[in-house]
Amino acid sequence: MVRDLSHAAGQLTALGFNLTARSYHTVPNPDGSLRPAGTANHCAMLQRGYLEVIAVTDPSAESFSRNEIGGFAARFEGLHLLAIGTASAGEVEARLNMWAEPFVAARSLHRKVDTPDGPRDASFRLIIVPQLSGSDITFFFIEHQTAELLWTPESMVHPNGATGLLELIVVDNNLETTGLLYEKAFGIGPTEGDGILSFALDRSRFLVLTEMAALRHFGAPVPTHDLPHCAGQAVEVADLSMTAALLTSKAVPFTRAGGRLTIAPEFAGGAFLQFAEAEI
């Protein structure tokens, strides 16, 4: 979440991402019609997952989207929305309903996207998990009901060779308590080791690291925010040396840590971004 959408889009473009055109969100009225949500985004669609920069474009709009994004961005720019993909929001609801504590029911969000046949309405169902959300994070599952409008062949080709979202990295020193909550949400347990919990999801990994483990992971201290804090993400690329050459040509600073290229938050929308060689 950022304050200046054009600036953030420029940063991701300099990192070698091919971004979608700016798209404006809408939310449903009681009668089923749609009204502007007051927010807009750009996305880098990958073969597995996507990156999104999002900002408030109309502070006067009345919507959960404008309220949440405005509040988060006022605190700091960075990764606030942790979107976990699901093929069935209904199945997630059934699993979460087994918890003793209540959760927020699924809600709808829409946005217009340009297609060769003209503007189309992309729709989503979101299920927020309040037990894993807080002052800096909204953790939710998302079902893309019109995925074919978003993952188009031309949108998934990037100059930096990006192919997929590899990891999402959350920092929290209380691994035992937080780990149990994520285990309930995902329906699977993690592997553990040296201050790290790693949840192997269908197409990526969700990591929970202590602050010391995050320092080792990124090769630099993470910003000090309330914990849990989502500190960064990792993207797979086809050829790491080609990605490094592109970043150098664009004068984007990076460091090397653990065989990865690490971009500091000030050059990547407020959060660490790492490029890693494809693991397959």
Side-chain angles (χ1 to χ4, degrees), residues 22-79:
R22 182 173 297 194
S23 180
Y24 293 86
H25 298 96
T26 57
V27 291
N29 290 309
D31 63 1
S33 62
L34 299 175
R35 69 180 188 276
T39 59
N41 73 357
H42 292 279
C43 293
M45 306 307 298
L46 308 176
Q47 295 172 30
R48 302 187 319 280
Y50 61 97
L51 309 183
E52 177 180 15
V53 285
I54 184 170
V56 172
T57 53
D58 180 4
S60 68
E62 285 301 324
S63 75
F64 68 84
S65 181
R66 193 274 300 172
N67 292 338
E68 291 181 352
I69 292 166
F72 280 136
R75 285 177 57 77
F76 63 89
E77 295 183 300
L79 290 170

Side-chain angles (χ1 to χ4, degrees), residues 2 6 23 26 30 58 68 88-89 104 106 112-113 116 118 129 158 166-167 186-187 189 225 266 273 275:
V2 297
S6 295
S23 180
T26 57
D58 180 4
E68 291 181 352
S88 172
V104 177
K112 293 293 183 184
V113 296
V129 183
H158 302 277
L166 175 64
E167 292 171 347
F186 292 132
H225 297 296
E266 57 264 35
L273 192 146
F275 292 107

Side-chain angles (χ1 to χ4, degrees), residues 195-217:
I196 301 173
L197 300 180
S198 177
F199 292 87
L201 307 181
D202 288 345
R203 301 186 300 171
S204 60
R205 289 191 294 267
F206 188 93
L207 303 182
V208 187
L209 279 62
T210 63
E211 289 180 282
M212 287 301 298
L215 173 62
R216 295 192 299 269
H217 186 89

Side-chain angles (χ1 to χ4, degrees), residues 123-197:
S123 58
F124 318 86
R125 282 177 60 78
L126 284 63
I127 303 174
I128 293 175
V129 183
Q131 294 88 340
L132 290 170
S133 303
S135 60
D136 288 345
I137 287 175
T138 294
F139 179 99
F140 64 99
F141 291 89
I142 181 169
E143 177 186 350
H144 288 83
Q145 298 173 302
T146 50
E148 71 282 358
L149 299 180
L150 304 176
W151 276 272
T152 61
E154 61 273 13
S155 71
M156 293 185 286
V157 178
H158 302 277
N160 60 19
T163 57
L165 186 61
L166 175 64
E167 292 171 347
L168 192 59
I169 301 108
V170 168
V171 179
D172 194 334
N173 290 325
N174 193 349
L175 295 189
E176 182 175 356
T177 300
T178 304
L180 289 175
L181 292 176
Y182 285 118
E183 187 171 340
K184 289 181 179 180
F186 292 132
I188 59 171
T191 57
E192 305 180 33
D194 201 15
I196 301 173
L197 300 180

